[in-house]
Amino acid sequence: MQVRKQVLSSLSEWKALEEEHRRIEKISMKEMFQREPNRFEDFSISLDNFFLDYSKNCIEEKTLSLLFKLGEACGLKEAISSMFSGEKINITEDRSVLHTALRNLSDRPVYVEGKDVMPAVRSVLEKMKEFSDKVRSGEWKGSTGEAITDIVNIGIGGSDLGPRMVTEALKKYQKPGLNCHFVSNIDGTDLTETLNKVEASTTLFIISSKTFTTQETITNALSARRWLINKLGPSSVSRHFVAISTNRKAVEDFGIDPANMFEFWDWVGGRYSLWSSIGLSICLSIGFENFKHLLEGAFRMDEHFRTRPFSENIPIIMGLLGIWYYNFFHADALAILPYDQYLSNLPAYLQQADMESNGKGVTKEGERIVSYKTGPILFGAAGTNGQHSFYQLLHQGTHFIPCDFIVPANSLNELGEHHNILLSNVIGQTEALMMGKSREEVISEGFKGSLIEHKVFEGNRPSNTIIVERFSPYYLGMLLAMYEHKIFVQGVIWDINSFDQMGVELGKKLAKEILPELKGEEPIKHPIIKKIIEMRRRDDDKGYSS
Ligand code: F6P
């Protein structure tokens, strides 16, 4: 691992960007477009039919070259090769970071501690293929001899959000008659409502947990097993439960046959794991061939990221643009705006990918970060729904929020003029954010007095537009790998470890300590628990509790 010798904000490349910010602030994007007739061509890139338009950003050529210099000064090139070659870049956990090996469709070996991991990766993929073929064809039977009609994935965080998002995004490719459900929340409602929808005899539970110790997942899995045993008896478990984990012992202790366990490895981070056996629900839903196309798309983006120079590199450009806004324009947030109903879970998925990766306040060397900001607050919703809720703030609020618009050129559900209307909204929104509406324009429309100011749009609000041919498994794979690498780029610049998540521990630990107070096993120390118990009694008095 490279040791950063100088604090990021004291680098001369950083100072040059501060200077550049003072210059660019005075030029509007509207002026930039007037001055540069080829701006759209100059600030856009294609990779197959994956297209990024980044012309509506507050940048000129000079800005980009200064950002590339910052990337070089931060050792970005070396960091990329360290990740791909299996160096232990997750320094706090002493682990390699190799989600890219899961989709390495080349013959290149990938070494972890001197051992090529590719044979194991291929063998798990083969096992996923065999199993998913059997379930999909009806060859795999439940304990009463019936074929499986419902898959229930029980997992949380990275063991839920990726598969949940992808199966929804690729619903059009799903096998009819095989339904996928996802249970993540410890709130009993989540499991109860799901179990209400399925029949025990035709349901397969996938217990997905990297560690197999996560409280929510294990509690839900135990309750699901109790439900199954009540209906079909203890011998049914082996036909209705499979596990995905790195922890063989815990899976065996839970009572799942190791033959029904799909392995993955500690060098796959939870939030980067949908490409591993954690993607089994995806594989079951869309079939192994389509799952492979997803990996192919991601591999295409990996190769692009690994080999292209900074100026032609989509994830690097996206990552550096983020640095430009968060660190020099002091933006706090990023809006993810997929204009595709199937991608409605993308913002939630990217929240974990980005905020759990880069929500860090300490450098790799263990210094507290005081002079610059790290990861953005991510939010979003499928367009055009978001337009009728939070876009007001994007257009006229006091926050400066860069936006990513994501849209397919072709709809998977052509319906009259719907898709043209959808596309026109994407373009309209990006133009409105960029151009705004001046006071003069408002006045020329006949508005008077104090109303004028309310009608003004300041404009100059940046956005990227990503267009893919259509949301096939291949292009979805490319999109997700692009975001993974973009997050990596930013982590490298900020000199943080994007691959641990220590910030989630403290709350979990306290919850475990508090639980005995709620169960009446320990004296109550928290006044709020006294209040809850009092309120529970009142609820009982009114007879609401049934
Ligand atoms: O929230 C912390 C976390 O460790 C995530 O990083 C992870 O994706 C999630 O919990 C689930 O963990 P596991 O797959 O081990 O159950």
Side-chain angles (χ1 to χ4, degrees):
M1 187 205 59
Q2 271 201 322
V3 175
R4 188 78 60 86
K5 293 187 192 76
Q6 227 182 317
V7 175
L8 176 61
S9 53
S10 69
L11 293 174
S12 58
E13 290 79 3
W14 186 274
K15 304 259 178 242
L17 279 160
E18 285 176 336
E19 186 62 42
E20 174 68 354
H21 175 243
R22 285 190 280 277
R23 186 184 78 82
I24 282 284
E25 251 189 334
K26 300 189 190 97
I27 316 168
S28 70
M29 275 190 267
K30 207 166 158 180
E31 285 172 75
M32 291 176 191
F33 269 96
Q34 279 157 5
R35 279 192 215 163
E36 305 161 39
N38 294 330
R39 197 172 159 85
F40 174 75
E41 288 76 19
D42 291 347
F43 294 117
S44 56
I45 310 187
S46 284
L47 179 61
D48 301 341
N49 269 336
F50 183 105
F51 177 74
L52 168 66
D53 167 13
Y54 59 102
S55 61
K56 291 180 185 122
N57 278 292
C58 308
I59 52 163
E60 290 184 339
E61 280 297 345
K62 183 180 171 201
T63 325
L64 270 184
S65 72
L66 291 172
L67 285 166
F68 295 149
K69 282 194 182 132
L70 180 71
E72 275 159 30
C74 292
L76 183 54
K77 214 166 153 210
E78 298 75 10
I80 294 171
S81 93
S82 301
M83 175 172 73
F84 277 89
S85 63
E87 253 179 64
K88 293 195 171 180
I89 60 169
N90 177 356
I91 42 153
T92 52
E93 297 177 324
D94 193 30
R95 288 175 181 168
S96 307
V97 174
L98 279 175
H99 41 282
T100 51
L102 302 167
R103 57 225 190 187
N104 170 21
L105 299 175
S106 73
D107 295 334
R108 241 188 357 259
V110 180
Y111 294 102
V112 172
E113 292 173 345
K115 189 171 171 231
D116 181 11
V117 297
M118 289 313 301
V121 168
R122 290 189 196 107
S123 131
V124 172
L125 277 174
E126 193 47 42
K127 188 170 171 179
M128 288 167 74
K129 177 180 174 351
E130 275 171 26
F131 182 73
S132 56
D133 284 352
K134 273 190 196 158
V135 173
R136 286 165 61 85
S137 68
E139 190 188 330
W140 177 279
K141 306 272 191 255
S143 61
T144 60
E146 288 170 76
I148 300 299
T149 58
D150 292 88
I151 311 285
V152 178
N153 185 83
I154 298 183
I156 197 164
S159 301
D160 166 72
L161 289 162
R164 184 194 287 264
M165 181 270 297
V166 174
T167 46
E168 177 65 22
L170 300 176
K171 206 174 192 166
K172 198 75 184 173
Y173 300 79
Q174 240 171 45
K175 183 179 165 60
L178 190 59
N179 310 307
C180 281
H181 313 266
F182 291 86
V183 173
S184 53
N185 201 336
I186 189 64
D187 182 342
T189 301
D190 200 3
L191 183 64
T192 306
E193 287 293 341
T194 304
L195 295 182
N196 284 343
K197 291 184 214 151
V198 298
E199 285 295 329
S201 56
T202 54
T203 298
L204 178 75
F205 292 94
I206 305 178
I207 313 306
S208 299
S209 175
K210 179 174 171 181
T211 54
F212 230 75
T213 56
T214 305
Q215 189 187 41
E216 292 92 331
T217 301
I218 300 306
T219 309
N220 276 323
L222 286 168
S223 298
R225 191 173 63 176
R226 254 194 314 275
W227 175 85
L228 183 85
I229 291 175
N230 272 340
K231 307 234 171 216
L232 303 176
S235 63
S236 61
V237 173
S238 66
R239 302 307 294 170
H240 294 269
F241 269 74
V242 298
I244 301 167
S245 187
T246 59
N247 188 346
R248 178 171 292 267
K249 163 122 189 13
V251 169
E252 280 180 67
D253 291 349
F254 182 89
I256 293 180
D257 183 351
N260 291 345
M261 173 179 160
F262 295 80
E263 191 191 3
F264 69 115
W265 307 272
D266 71 356
W267 40 263
V268 181
R271 53 193 172 274
Y272 299 89
S273 65
L274 73 88
W275 322 98
S276 73
S277 49
I278 288 288
L280 186 64
S281 51
I282 304 173
C283 207
L284 285 161
S285 162
I286 62 173
F288 185 78
E289 278 315 305
N290 279 324
F291 184 70
K292 195 133 178 250
H293 293 319
L294 184 79
L295 302 185
E296 279 162 5
F299 179 58
R300 179 80 169 106
M301 188 56 79
D302 292 345
E303 289 299 275
H304 167 88
F305 179 55
R306 196 174 64 81
T307 58
R308 301 314 298 160
F310 287 9
S311 59
E312 296 167 22
N313 195 310
I314 297 172
I316 291 184
I317 291 172
M318 291 281 287
L320 290 172
L321 285 170
I323 298 284
W324 179 230
Y325 294 125
Y326 313 139
N327 295 122
F328 299 94
F329 285 70
H330 305 293
D332 287 314
L334 169 66
I336 298 288
L337 310 169
Y339 276 64
D340 186 310
Q341 189 60 30
Y342 287 126
L343 289 188
S344 53
N345 291 330
L346 184 71
Y349 164 78
L350 287 178
Q351 269 174 344
Q352 188 202 15
D354 202 325
M355 293 163 84
E356 203 174 66
S357 296
N358 286 344
K360 312 283 162 67
V362 172
T363 66
K364 286 192 207 129
E365 293 76 28
E367 301 291 332
R368 194 144 293 281
I369 298 170
V370 288
S371 57
Y372 56 92
K373 272 194 288 197
T374 60
I377 301 157
L378 219 119
F379 70 101
T384 56
N385 294 358
Q387 290 178 201
H388 298 272
S389 70
F390 58 82
Y391 278 40
Q392 165 64 39
L393 183 147
L394 300 179
H395 285 285
Q396 286 189 314
T398 51
H399 296 273
F400 177 82
I401 303 180
C403 304
D404 286 353
F405 288 82
I406 302 157
V407 68
N410 300 289
S411 171
L412 293 173
N413 294 300
E414 287 297 345
L415 185 63
E417 281 308 311
H418 286 238
H419 202 60
N420 280 335
I421 297 172
L422 186 82
L423 285 163
S424 67
N425 271 281
V426 173
I427 301 165
Q429 289 296 329
T430 61
E431 267 183 31
L433 285 163
M434 187 264 284
M435 308 264 285
K437 193 175 193 183
S438 68
R439 208 156 278 108
E440 293 67 40
E441 285 172 280
V442 175
I443 293 168
S444 74
E445 285 173 2
F447 292 101
K448 294 196 178 72
S450 64
L451 198 53
I452 296 170
E453 215 51 47
H454 292 278
K455 296 265 179 188
V456 169
F457 286 61
E458 284 177 352
N460 219 31
R461 300 187 178 208
S463 64
N464 294 309
T465 308
I466 294 164
I467 308 176
V468 300
E469 182 189 290
R470 71 186 66 245
F471 272 111
S472 61
Y474 183 80
Y475 283 108
L476 183 67
M478 272 177 114
L479 179 79
L480 302 180
M482 189 276 288
Y483 273 111
E484 286 178 346
H485 295 322
K486 178 207 125 158
I487 292 164
F488 174 76
V489 167
Q490 296 181 341
V492 171
I493 303 290
W494 289 322
D495 191 24
I496 55 181
N497 179 10
S498 302
F499 301 103
D500 62 9
Q501 54 283 323
M502 304 207 177
V504 303
E505 295 306 327
L506 182 58
K508 280 195 215 171
K509 181 172 168 280
L510 291 177
K512 285 205 174 127
E513 286 167 16
I514 290 162
L515 185 59
E517 284 182 54
L518 277 157
K519 286 163 71 181
E521 293 168 357
E522 273 181 22
I524 296 173
K525 286 184 276 185
H526 293 81
I528 196 159
I529 295 184
K530 284 200 184 113
K531 185 72 196 164
I532 290 168
I533 288 171
E534 193 187 305
M535 288 172 77
R536 275 182 178 171
R537 286 207 198 101
R538 275 201 213 139
D539 193 27
D540 285 348
D541 292 347
K542 290 189 184 127
Y544 292 155
S545 54
S546 64

